[in-house]
Amino acid sequence: MKISYKWLQQFIKTSKTPEELSLILTNIGLEVESLEKVQTVPGGLEGLVIGFVKDCQQHPNADRLKVTRVDIGTGEDIQIVCGANNVAAGQKVVVAPVNTTVYPTTGEPFKINKSKIRGEVSEGMICAEDEIGLGHDHDGIMELNADAKIGSLAKDYFNLQDDFVFEIGLTPNRADAASHLGVARDLAAYLKIPVIMPDLSGFKVQNQDLNIQVNVEDTEAAPRYTSLTISGISVKESPDWLKDRLNAIGVRPINNVVDVTNFVLHELGQPLHAFDADAITGNKVLVKKLADGKLFTTLDDIERKLSADDLMICNVEEPMCIAGVFGGLSSGVKQSTSNVFLESAWFNPVSVRKTSKRHGLKTDASFRFERGTDPDMTVHAIKRAAILIQELAGGQISSEISDCYPVRANPFPVDISFNNVSRLIGKIISADEIRTTLSGLGIKIISENSEGMKLEVPAYKVDVTREVDIIEEVLRIHGYDNVEIPSQIRASLNTTVKPDKEVLQNQIAELLSANGFFEILSNSLTKLSYSAEPERAVRILNPLSNDLDVMRQSLLFSGLEAIAYNQNRRNSDLKFYEFGKVYNLDQENYKENQRFSIFLSGSKNSEGWNSKSGKADFYNLKAAVDLIINKLNVKGISTSETTNPQFSSGISYRKGEKIIVEFGVVSKKSLNKLDISSEVFFADFDWDQIIRSVRNNKISYAEVSKFPSVRRDLSMLLNKDISFEQLKQIAFKTERGLLKEVNVFDVYVGDKLPEGKKSYALSFLLQDDEKTLTDKQIEAIMQKLILNFEKQAGAEIRK
């Protein structure tokens, strides 16, 4: 939201600079994201000065040029070659000296350089109004009044004043601050100065010549509807002061009537709408909902299909406006409009929000209505607008104010305790300061005693309904930074459930980051088309868009989106990990599960002059998975091939019957959804199950054995369907005490072997922690291993 510094000064009188106000606004909860200098005229006429043409002679080498001598107040005259027909001695003119940059009305800015024009030196430029952005006239140079001071700045002569615009990151709960008045109210409370409201004493009904009947059929969607008419207006371009105000905050001026409604919206926070009164057939305005499917053309010349839930402003024949959102093409103010019907309403926030979302229309009006406007501002705003329209467009107010307000919005009664204020803030705030702050914010004090206050909170403060909200308002204006850190800190010891999930997650994150992985954080909202089980998807009732219409059921696609984004920007070597929750519908119950994912794509290492980098493969992913499993000390894992359709091939690690991780190559079907052509490796951990698996783990320490380990190797011929995991399990069942490690160091499959066979070479590491193993012991163990491999796996030991 943009707020003008000069505009604020109409509400509060303060000598604070824009930079000082920027800091204050941020401290009181209206975070200033940027502060920008805005110039009424591009370039602000910087460097341009007032000059006096002392002499003007015909150029000796050009019929259409003049050679002038100009005094610009430096004590030394300069020579300027000028092509304007009206240049003459004795004139006061605007001069752009050498090294000045000028900003023309059309075209790009350019710098004035010292040059020779047809043989004569020129040390500047005498300016026409279109050459410096002051207009469109190029018939000749600008001739200034005789009282213009030689050498003075042109911006001072034309009374140009720079403005500053605050870009405020307005939170959704601060609807009361969605205007210059709202921001000024907060500043006034902080600075302890009054707010100066616009003068409405000039409002007067001149006649009753244009009475338009208003009938509000849906008072729930339109609790208050205020209107009046103005006749005999002249629609034309707005004056400069109004255009400057709107341009400063990024609003495009249209005409004097529409600009007034936009001005009042940003000034007071009350959206208005002006209708061409002659387009209201039947001389009657109906505020109602229409049948589903009714077609309506909005101001942007787009035909829209209405919903039965859309509140419409209609005449007796047709709709004219989507209430609180957007006007209609045929009923708006045009150049030919002479009579207007002015609307100032309080619409239901939920109704406006749903209509705005349904039609994809985001306007300044809907922004405010859907957050909650001030129901008591409608009459004030319509008077302000009527006075301005009369001032800028003429005409007469031709009806009394019609105010349909069947059920009044009452202030919120709230009681506060001084003890609670001090307790929650952590500092004693005096009753005087509380009183001053609340009064400055427009909160009425009904009664007060030594223990607290009874208050009435105005309806425009939609987020202030409880005692804690009042205390937050007091703290906000007092200043969070003004609450001192106490010299004593009181704390209590809390027992934590083991293992500490945060600590465990940080350990794994640090482990992966140290190994070249980057953590990603993705939106939990995603698109239904990603879902493999759409019937179990948790759908959003009022989605922001079709791409964010369900809660994610897997971390796969959020990671693939990150991979696709990077690959499209020529960053193809990727190593990601993410912690996040997934959501599923199980019959009528919603289930939330913590997951952890790893992604690999591209090269396994970055390029280097002294090392070669190959493509990442399944075993690089498996190494990362095993690194995590070992770090977590998860024991008793069994391995099997995964049947998850997200993978074209992969492995599952189980602990008991529960899968703790599945990893492998992402299926082509999944990759095609994001147009990813390269291979992607993905690991999906059930983090909740991991936490349960390591819950009872205890750290134990053992002395490093003094006795040597012994390695023995076996080569064997096996059926192709026998896996290394099976052989490993057979080995550890055979020898539980002395066998420490089993590894495969060679695999051969080829035409030199019988059909359906493969060759494995395994290594076995044996060690006794209490004594040195003898050859007899080692041989006995190896014979038992051979026997069990032959018996249980059908292995043929190769001699």
Side-chain angles (χ1 to χ4, degrees):
M1 181 185 70
K2 294 181 184 293
I3 295 294
S4 160
Y5 175 69
K6 288 172 65 177
W7 204 338
L8 276 179
Q9 289 181 314
Q10 292 187 347
F11 288 101
I12 54 174
K13 298 301 180 186
T14 177
S15 59
K16 298 287 185 182
T17 65
E19 290 78 11
E20 290 173 325
L21 287 186
S22 179
L23 183 60
I24 291 171
L25 286 169
T26 298
N27 287 339
I28 61 177
L30 298 175
E31 183 182 359
V32 176
E33 297 176 342
S34 66
L35 177 63
E36 179 185 358
K37 185 177 180 180
V38 176
Q39 297 172 318
T40 307
V41 175
L45 304 185
E46 292 290 343
L48 302 183
V49 296
I50 306 301
F52 175 67
V53 181
K54 285 187 172 181
D55 184 48
C56 180
Q57 302 293 331
Q58 184 66 44
H59 193 295
N61 301 317
D63 294 339
R64 296 185 178 182
L65 299 177
K66 303 286 180 61
V67 180
T68 64
R69 186 163 52 87
V70 184
D71 178 7
I72 59 171
T74 59
E76 186 175 340
D77 297 344
I78 61 174
Q79 179 172 293
I80 298 176
V81 176
C82 181
N85 293 327
N86 62 331
V87 65
Q91 292 175 329
K92 296 285 183 72
V93 294
V94 177
V95 177
V98 171
N99 293 326
T100 300
T101 300
V102 294
Y103 294 77
T105 302
T106 58
E108 296 296 321
F110 59 92
K111 187 177 181 180
I112 301 299
N113 297 310
K114 184 175 181 179
S115 60
K116 276 192 175 184
I117 302 176
R118 303 294 289 271
E120 294 292 328
V121 173
S122 183
E123 299 173 292
M125 182 175 77
I126 302 175
C127 305
E129 68 175 41
D130 70 323
E131 292 171 331
I132 55 176
L134 288 177
H136 298 275
D137 187 8
H138 193 69
D139 290 340
I141 61 169
M142 299 178 69
E143 297 182 49
L144 308 182
N145 296 331
D147 59 355
K149 185 178 178 181
I150 298 171
S152 63
L153 297 177
K155 68 176 181 179
D156 293 338
Y157 176 82
F158 291 104
N159 195 29
L160 294 186
Q161 295 182 359
D162 295 333
D163 195 2
F164 291 85
V165 172
F166 305 96
E167 182 74 43
I168 294 178
L170 193 68
T171 53
N173 64 313
R174 291 303 311 278
D176 61 299
S179 65
H180 285 77
L181 171 61
V183 173
R185 188 190 293 121
D186 273 16
L187 285 172
Y190 180 87
L191 298 171
K192 296 178 173 55
I193 57 177
V195 174
I196 305 167
M197 294 296 291
D199 181 18
L200 302 181
S201 60
F203 179 83
K204 182 181 179 181
V205 178
Q206 277 88 19
N207 57 61
Q208 302 286 335
D209 295 343
L210 189 56
N211 282 309
I212 294 178
Q213 183 182 349
V214 176
N215 183 14
V216 180
E217 296 183 11
D218 192 332
T219 55
E220 183 179 352
R224 187 172 192 180
Y225 193 88
T226 307
S227 62
L228 60 74
T229 61
I230 306 174
S231 62
I233 65 166
S234 176
V235 178
K236 54 189 176 183
E237 186 179 357
S238 296
D240 287 342
W241 72 265
L242 180 53
K243 290 191 291 185
D244 290 346
R245 282 281 187 269
L246 297 178
N247 281 323
I249 59 173
V251 177
R252 180 176 62 88
I254 298 172
N255 59 54
N256 51 359
V257 176
V258 175
D259 291 350
V260 164
T261 62
N262 286 330
F263 177 85
V264 173
L265 180 150
H266 290 279
E267 181 183 58
L268 304 178
Q270 174 60 48
L272 304 172
H273 191 72
F275 297 86
D276 187 334
D278 296 329
I280 302 176
T281 58
N283 223 31
K284 191 173 184 179
V285 169
L286 305 173
V287 183
K288 62 180 182 177
K289 294 175 180 176
L290 301 176
D292 193 63
K294 174 76 174 177
L295 297 178
F296 176 66
T297 304
T298 46
L299 273 171
D300 53 2
D301 203 17
I302 294 176
E303 190 174 63
R304 303 178 188 275
K305 186 178 290 187
L306 300 178
S307 163
D309 294 325
D310 294 334
L311 184 69
M312 302 298 296
I313 311 300
C314 311
N315 57 38
V316 295
E317 294 181 353
E318 59 183 0
M320 300 187 295
C321 175
I322 303 177
V325 180
F326 212 32
L329 183 64
S330 60
S331 62
V333 173
K334 301 175 284 292
Q335 200 69 29
S336 58
T337 298
S338 58
N339 303 311
V340 294
F341 173 84
L342 203 57
E343 166 196 281
S344 178
W346 174 41
F347 293 121
N348 184 289
V350 175
S351 174
V352 173
R353 187 183 306 120
K354 288 183 176 180
T355 295
S356 172
K357 191 70 64 63
R358 189 180 297 118
H359 296 288
L361 289 169
K362 288 291 182 183
T363 61
D364 287 336
S366 69
F367 175 85
R368 285 157 179 81
F369 277 129
E370 64 187 36
R371 283 162 174 78
T373 57
D374 182 4
D376 296 327
M377 184 58 70
T378 61
V379 173
H380 189 100
I382 207 168
K383 287 183 177 180
R384 172 70 165 152
I387 292 171
L388 288 173
I389 289 174
Q390 282 190 294
E391 178 186 325
L392 304 182
Q396 295 184 323
I397 299 174
S398 299
S399 72
E400 295 290 345
I401 293 176
S402 169
D403 191 17
C404 301
Y405 195 14
V407 180
R408 296 192 64 83
N410 296 317
F412 306 110
V414 179
D415 295 349
I416 65 165
S417 160
F418 293 143
N419 285 337
N420 286 342
V421 173
S422 300
R423 181 176 61 84
L424 291 179
I425 290 178
K427 177 181 181 180
I428 296 176
I429 307 294
S430 69
D432 287 341
E433 182 177 349
I434 295 172
R435 191 182 307 112
T436 303
T437 297
L438 296 179
S439 298
L441 293 173
I443 298 172
K444 188 176 180 180
I445 300 172
I446 303 301
S447 63
E448 179 182 350
N449 56 38
S450 60
E451 295 183 354
M453 297 176 175
K454 289 186 179 295
L455 309 172
E456 278 190 355
V457 182
Y460 62 76
K461 281 198 164 292
V462 295
D463 69 324
V464 181
T465 57
R466 303 167 299 167
E467 183 184 27
V468 290
D469 299 327
I470 295 289
I471 295 171
E472 183 184 2
E473 292 291 281
V474 173
L475 174 58
R476 188 169 61 81
I477 300 302
H478 178 77
Y480 296 96
D481 292 342
N482 294 325
V483 178
E484 299 82 3
I485 297 175
S487 56
Q488 268 189 332
I489 297 178
R490 297 173 182 175
S492 58
L493 295 175
N494 295 322
T495 58
T496 57
V497 178
K498 299 293 184 179
D500 189 315
K501 294 181 181 180
E502 296 294 329
V503 171
L504 206 61
Q505 181 171 317
N506 288 337
Q507 287 177 347
I508 298 304
E510 289 170 1
L511 177 68
L512 288 174
S513 296
N515 281 273
F517 285 81
F518 291 90
E519 184 172 9
I520 61 174
L521 184 63
S522 307
N523 196 342
S524 295
L525 298 177
T526 187
K527 59 177 71 174
L528 183 62
S529 60
Y530 288 159
S531 176
E533 298 177 286
E535 69 282 355
R536 297 190 64 212
V538 179
R539 299 174 186 250
I540 306 300
L541 293 178
N542 193 20
L544 294 171
S545 71
N546 291 332
D547 288 340
L548 300 171
D549 55 354
V550 296
M551 304 293 285
R552 66 184 174 192
Q553 295 173 276
S554 167
L555 297 183
L556 172 62
F557 289 100
S558 56
L560 291 182
E561 284 179 343
I563 288 172
Y565 181 89
N566 278 271
Q567 289 183 347
N568 290 338
R569 286 156 182 80
R570 299 180 181 276
N571 183 23
S572 56
D573 301 332
L574 305 168
K575 299 168 76 174
F576 292 151
Y577 68 93
E578 179 176 17
F579 293 91
K581 292 183 177 179
V582 299
Y583 309 85
N584 284 282
L585 182 63
D586 185 8
Q587 296 179 353
E588 295 183 357
N589 299 317
Y590 294 104
K591 289 197 172 181
E592 183 177 295
N593 178 226
Q594 183 77 16
R595 311 293 290 192
F596 167 55
S597 62
I598 300 176
F599 296 88
L600 280 176
S601 185
S603 299
K604 58 185 176 184
N605 295 311
S606 57
E607 289 182 331
W609 64 271
N610 60 350
S611 62
K612 293 183 179 180
S613 179
K615 289 290 184 182
D617 57 26
F618 170 81
Y619 295 100
N620 297 125
L621 178 67
K622 184 178 184 299
V625 171
D626 289 343
L627 183 68
I628 293 167
I629 295 297
N630 292 333
K631 174 70 176 179
L632 296 171
N633 196 27
V634 180
K635 301 295 186 181
I637 289 176
S638 61
T639 305
S640 62
E641 288 190 28
T642 181
T643 57
N644 192 325
Q646 290 181 334
F647 301 96
S648 59
S649 61
I651 288 177
S652 296
Y653 280 177
R654 294 174 181 267
K655 185 171 176 62
E657 296 298 318
K658 301 290 186 180
I659 296 176
I660 60 172
V661 60
E662 293 180 291
F663 58 97
V665 184
V666 178
S667 68
K668 290 291 184 182
K669 182 180 179 181
S670 298
L671 296 178
N672 290 340
K673 290 184 178 181
L674 288 109
D675 295 325
I676 298 175
S677 56
S678 59
E679 206 168 31
V680 177
F681 303 93
F682 168 58
D684 181 24
F685 289 80
D686 185 336
W687 193 248
D688 288 336
Q689 189 61 39
I690 291 282
I691 296 296
R692 286 190 288 269
S693 299
V694 301
R695 183 172 294 159
N696 297 320
N697 280 4
K698 293 182 180 179
I699 297 174
S700 59
Y701 300 89
E703 185 181 355
V704 176
S705 178
K706 300 176 182 179
F707 304 98
S709 60
V710 177
R711 170 174 165 163
R712 290 290 186 268
D713 297 340
L714 286 178
S715 179
M716 61 190 73
L717 198 63
L718 300 155
N719 292 332
K720 282 187 176 180
D721 59 351
I722 300 297
S723 67
F724 167 68
E725 183 66 23
Q726 290 173 282
L727 299 177
K728 188 175 178 181
Q729 290 177 5
I730 292 170
F732 280 110
K733 286 179 181 178
T734 301
E735 178 53 55
R736 299 179 185 273
L738 302 180
L739 181 61
K740 303 299 183 182
E741 291 182 16
V742 179
N743 292 299
V744 57
F745 63 88
D746 186 54
V747 179
Y748 176 74
V749 179
D751 54 6
K752 294 182 180 180
L753 297 178
E755 187 177 351
K757 297 290 185 177
K758 62 182 177 182
S759 174
Y760 268 11
L762 305 183
S763 65
F764 304 88
L765 196 68
L766 304 170
Q767 187 178 37
D768 191 331
D769 294 332
E770 297 180 352
K771 60 183 179 180
T772 302
L773 288 172
T774 64
D775 289 342
K776 187 176 180 179
Q777 287 177 295
I778 296 169
E779 185 62 26
I781 293 171
M782 294 307 297
Q783 287 301 318
K784 283 196 294 183
L785 287 172
I786 291 170
L787 180 64
N788 285 336
F789 284 145
E790 291 175 338
K791 183 178 179 181
Q792 297 179 36
E796 180 184 335
I797 305 302
R798 305 180 75 180
K799 305 290 185 178

